[in-house]
Amino acid sequence: MRTILLYISLIILFIMTVVSSYNSNANFMMTTIAAVVILIPAAYSALPLIEDYRIRKNKSKNRLSQNTFTDREDDVNNIIKKLLTQEHVIEITGNGKQCGKTWIAKKIVDYINHPRDYKKNKKSIPYKAAYYIDMKEHNTDYIDNLLENNIINSKTVLLFDHVCELDYILTKQSLYQFQLIYIFEKNCDFNFFKYNISTFQEKNIGNLHEKIRSNYSEIDRITKSEIQTLYELTEGNIGKIHSMLSSQKCVVWIKDIAAGKPTDYELRLNKIKMELLIGNYKKADEMLDQLKQENEESLFANNSFFYKYNLLKADCEHLLNHYKSALSVLSVIEQEPYCRYNKNYELELCKAHYYKHLWMCNESLEKLYQINQQSYAAKVDSLGILLAKYFINDIYVPHSESSSLDKFLDTYYDASNNMQGQDSRNALKCRRYEVAYMYYKNHSTVCDSLIDIITTVIDTYKAQNDRLIANAYFMRGEIYRMYNQYDKAIQDYEKTISVTDDNNIKIQTNLIVIYLTKCKKIKIESSLLTDSMADISCSDNNYAQIVLRKINSVILNDPHKDTIINMFDTRIMPIL
């Protein structure tokens, strides 16, 4: 449209020029029209400048380091200073992984792109632009596109993170002469200047935590002694410190550890527990094996050490999805003299949890019923199992004449009335099942009130940065599905997938998507979800296998097809 307008104005201007050449006494109106016509292409030519100004204004607001914490300003200054003097290729190194290299790199890029932020520079930075390129997310095609479509020269700084191979980048650097800063994914030897960043200081943990709490308001503050405990456990690794401070569950655990001075072996076990909490399951398993090799004699001589080691080993096997191995490890410490160290029924709760994953749900419920009068956690843990049994039409409940649904309703009512004074995480888990209780109890024709209830739970999980938010998103998706609001359900299933690395949760979420696409013929377009049977592996998840068999029965027109469809369409599927 703009181009057409430009051409029309030029044609009019040409015609008027010809007319004016035959009429030297052109009137004022003709002159005015000519001026307006001349202004049209002038205004059109200004549009790209205005658009460029708007883009630059938007860029000026963005900071890569906005959600990071960089206490080591001296390191940032020193790297920039080195870049300004003689080095054109710099490697940033540090003491191990997650020590803050990436955060420092992003701060450097921000200072170059926004020199006004660089408060300590006594002379201007000569570089005009900087780009941060994460090689975990980008490939060589991305680099080629960046180089071809931007002005890249000696006044440009390119910072590459998580680099595996440097040769390709060096080839491009020799062609374009840009300033190069890089961080290796793994240590490699290249004959370039290396800048080793300084150690993160304990005194900065408080400021780091306040920045985290600005995003997650319901994470508790920590005291000076708790900061000291955290720093000792993490050995000053800022990545681990950040991970621990970003979750209310982890902060509560740190508070518990700081409340009593741990022994030497407890300190080592706590370091391994920390790796489990932040998701480094394989590393934790390696650390457990190393601890056993180095302390085999004292491990068997010290019953308390032996108990705590094996309890942690069982949890590690469970998180690695080795449920049978986890149960095997637990069986060793269920006997005397080790079981006397069992606190708050942790043995029973763990065993029930591992049984649940193997779909030995009756065994799990029996174990929980043995302690549910003394353990609130046991009541809450049974809710998901009962709900799952009812979903797949498994009505039987051991040692009870009630159906799985009736037992769920009774258990929830009991747990909700005894929530006061209980562990906040278990209380919130109980609240997560409130929507299922209200759905089955009231049979409401609209879902607004149910959505409000589960959204409040989601908001709390979000404020605490708790991984169980995935389960809450899925529960809200199921409520939407019960009321045929499939678009909103899919949005919540996508959120479920996006906030978890748990393969079991991903499998169960995609099973519902397969049901909607294959059985209900709902069209779904999503980059996160899959409706392909080939992409679903249920070999390690017995619950998922049962659900998948029922979906296949519908697809294959099984005689009980209508019953299964009615079951899916009227019952909530919980994450198990």
Side-chain angles (χ1 to χ4, degrees):
M1 185 65 188
R2 292 177 183 175
T3 305
I4 294 172
L5 186 63
L6 177 63
Y7 286 145
I8 291 173
S9 65
L10 291 173
I11 292 170
I12 294 173
L13 182 62
F14 174 75
I15 294 171
M16 293 183 67
T17 303
V18 172
V19 171
S20 297
S21 65
Y22 290 103
N23 184 7
S24 58
N25 298 318
N27 59 27
F28 175 76
M29 181 63 70
M30 186 73 74
T31 304
T32 303
I33 294 173
V36 172
V37 171
I38 291 171
L39 286 174
I40 290 174
Y44 178 80
S45 64
L47 289 176
L49 297 175
I50 296 171
E51 192 168 332
D52 181 64
Y53 168 76
R54 288 176 176 173
I55 292 171
R56 284 189 287 107
K57 188 175 180 180
N58 280 340
K59 284 184 177 180
S60 70
K61 297 177 182 178
N62 186 48
R63 301 290 188 279
L64 292 177
S65 59
Q66 186 171 357
N67 290 320
T68 66
F69 178 82
T70 307
D71 62 302
R72 288 161 282 188
E73 286 287 341
D74 286 345
D75 288 333
V76 175
N77 293 331
N78 290 337
I79 293 171
I80 291 177
K81 184 178 178 181
K82 200 70 179 176
L83 201 62
L84 289 172
T85 54
Q86 61 195 65
E87 300 297 339
H88 302 291
V89 180
I90 297 176
E91 177 186 353
I92 300 177
T93 63
N95 185 23
K97 289 188 175 182
Q98 296 183 314
C99 59
K101 299 186 291 289
T102 294
W103 289 3
I104 287 174
K106 288 182 176 181
K107 181 64 75 173
I108 291 170
V109 170
D110 281 343
Y111 278 162
I112 293 172
N113 288 331
H114 311 286
R116 290 182 182 179
D117 294 353
Y118 189 40
K119 297 175 183 177
K120 293 188 177 181
N121 62 325
K122 296 181 180 178
K123 57 181 180 178
S124 61
I125 300 176
Y127 305 114
K128 302 302 182 184
Y131 297 88
Y132 172 81
I133 302 139
D134 189 343
M135 295 307 292
K136 277 187 175 179
E137 299 178 2
H138 301 300
N139 55 21
T140 54
D141 290 339
Y142 174 85
I143 298 173
D144 288 341
N145 186 62
L146 175 72
L147 294 170
E148 291 169 8
N149 293 286
N150 293 278
I151 299 174
I152 306 295
N153 52 34
S154 60
K155 298 293 185 181
T156 312
V157 178
L158 266 58
L159 203 154
F160 293 86
D161 201 355
H162 302 111
V163 174
C164 294
E165 296 290 339
L166 191 60
D167 291 338
Y168 174 82
I169 297 172
L170 289 173
T171 300
K172 296 300 181 182
Q173 198 258 352
S174 65
L175 287 172
Y176 289 86
Q177 298 298 307
F178 55 79
Q179 310 300 314
L180 170 61
I181 302 176
Y182 63 92
I183 302 170
F184 271 127
E185 176 70 8
K186 295 180 181 179
N187 290 334
C188 296
D189 286 328
F190 273 85
N191 193 25
F192 296 113
F193 177 78
K194 293 183 180 182
Y195 186 89
N196 193 64
I197 64 173
S198 57
T199 304
F200 177 70
Q201 298 297 311
E202 180 182 323
K203 64 183 180 181
N204 294 309
I205 290 180
N207 292 333
L208 170 60
H209 198 207
E210 286 307 308
K211 181 151 190 175
I212 292 169
R213 291 187 72 256
S214 66
N215 293 322
Y216 305 111
S217 58
E218 292 201 19
I219 293 180
D220 294 340
R221 286 187 170 90
I222 56 176
T223 64
K224 187 175 181 179
S225 64
E226 291 159 359
I227 286 174
Q228 291 173 346
T229 299
L230 175 61
Y231 195 78
E232 288 176 9
L233 285 173
T234 58
E235 297 177 343
N237 184 289
I238 190 173
K240 293 178 181 179
I241 291 170
H242 183 269
S243 295
M244 294 296 291
L245 293 178
S246 298
S247 165
Q248 173 67 0
K249 178 184 176 183
C250 295
V251 169
V252 170
W253 182 74
I254 286 293
K255 288 178 175 291
D256 290 342
I257 297 300
K261 186 174 176 61
T263 62
D264 290 341
Y265 76 79
E266 285 175 331
L267 187 60
R268 290 193 66 177
L269 289 173
N270 287 337
K271 288 182 179 180
I272 298 171
K273 175 70 174 177
M274 182 191 65
E275 297 294 342
L276 291 178
L277 286 172
I278 62 179
N280 296 334
Y281 306 145
K282 289 184 178 179
K283 182 177 180 181
D285 195 38
E286 291 170 359
M287 292 171 70
L288 282 165
D289 290 342
Q290 183 180 356
L291 179 61
K292 184 177 180 179
Q293 289 175 6
E294 294 174 357
N295 300 271
E296 193 159 2
E297 186 175 339
S298 58
L299 180 63
F300 286 98
N302 187 327
N303 291 339
S304 175
F305 185 15
F306 186 82
Y307 172 84
K308 291 177 180 178
Y309 171 88
N310 281 284
L311 189 68
L312 197 59
K313 177 68 174 176
D315 190 27
C316 186
E317 293 289 349
H318 146 246
L319 291 169
L320 290 167
N321 298 331
H322 304 155
Y323 307 123
K324 291 181 180 179
S325 296
L327 285 169
S328 178
V329 173
L330 273 190
S331 66
V332 176
I333 54 175
E334 284 184 296
Q335 310 300 321
E336 287 287 357
Y338 309 114
C339 62
R340 68 183 65 176
Y341 298 100
N342 181 17
K343 293 180 180 179
N344 300 319
Y345 304 97
E346 57 191 358
L347 271 178
E348 291 85 354
L349 291 170
C350 286
K351 193 165 189 176
H353 188 77
Y354 307 157
Y355 275 147
K356 176 192 75 173
H357 281 301
L358 291 168
W359 194 245
M360 298 172 66
C361 285
N362 291 335
E363 291 84 348
S364 181
L365 289 172
E366 285 179 344
K367 186 64 68 175
L368 294 172
Y369 290 157
Q370 289 172 9
I371 59 173
N372 69 354
Q373 295 303 312
Q374 298 83 23
S375 171
Y376 184 77
K379 289 178 183 175
V380 174
D381 285 357
S382 66
L383 292 173
I385 300 171
L386 292 166
L387 207 57
K389 283 172 73 71
Y390 180 65
F391 174 72
I392 64 168
N393 213 28
D394 183 352
I395 304 300
Y396 171 74
V397 178
H399 310 298
S400 175
E401 295 181 0
S402 300
S403 68
S404 50
L405 176 60
D406 290 337
K407 191 66 175 176
F408 166 79
L409 296 174
D410 292 342
T411 304
Y412 173 80
Y413 182 80
D414 182 22
S416 63
N417 285 330
N418 291 281
M419 200 181 297
Q420 191 71 28
Q422 302 295 342
D423 172 78
S424 60
R425 200 162 188 257
N426 282 324
L428 186 58
K429 192 186 294 185
C430 180
R431 286 171 53 200
R432 195 175 76 228
Y433 291 108
E434 182 180 356
V435 285
Y437 176 84
M438 299 297 288
Y439 170 77
Y440 286 121
K441 196 74 175 174
N442 298 337
H443 305 289
S444 176
T445 56
V446 293
C447 68
D448 293 353
S449 61
L450 298 179
I451 294 301
D452 289 342
I453 290 169
I454 190 62
T455 299
T456 301
V457 174
I458 288 171
D459 290 342
T460 305
Y461 276 133
K462 193 181 295 182
Q464 296 180 357
N465 197 24
D466 195 306
R467 64 180 180 82
L468 292 180
I469 191 174
N471 303 61
Y473 276 134
F474 185 83
M475 181 66 80
R476 189 170 69 181
E478 282 295 274
I479 296 299
Y480 279 128
R481 186 174 68 85
M482 292 299 97
Y483 289 86
N484 301 326
Q485 297 186 30
Y486 298 121
D487 289 343
K488 291 181 178 179
I490 291 301
Q491 289 175 10
D492 274 329
Y493 296 149
E494 287 184 316
K495 289 177 181 177
T496 302
I497 294 287
S498 68
V499 298
T500 186
D501 292 322
D502 190 317
N503 197 46
N504 284 329
I505 295 178
K506 291 180 179 181
I507 288 171
Q508 292 170 55
T509 303
N510 282 313
L511 282 174
I512 281 295
V513 173
I514 289 173
Y515 171 74
L516 291 176
T517 55
K518 305 296 185 184
C519 303
K520 299 292 289 184
K521 307 303 180 184
I522 305 295
K523 291 185 178 180
I524 296 173
E525 293 183 4
S526 172
S527 59
L528 294 175
L529 303 169
T530 179
D531 60 358
S532 171
M533 296 282 196
D535 294 335
I536 301 294
S537 175
C538 304
S539 58
D540 296 325
N541 190 314
N542 294 337
Y543 174 54
Q545 287 181 34
I546 295 171
V547 175
L548 183 58
R549 282 199 296 269
K550 291 185 180 295
I551 293 172
N552 279 326
S553 294
V554 175
I555 294 172
L556 297 172
N557 285 311
D558 185 275
H560 301 290
K561 167 186 172 182
D562 292 338
T563 302
I564 295 172
I565 290 176
N566 181 67
M567 182 190 77
F568 268 86
D569 290 350
T570 59
R571 300 182 186 184
I572 295 169
M573 175 182 170
I575 292 290
L576 196 64

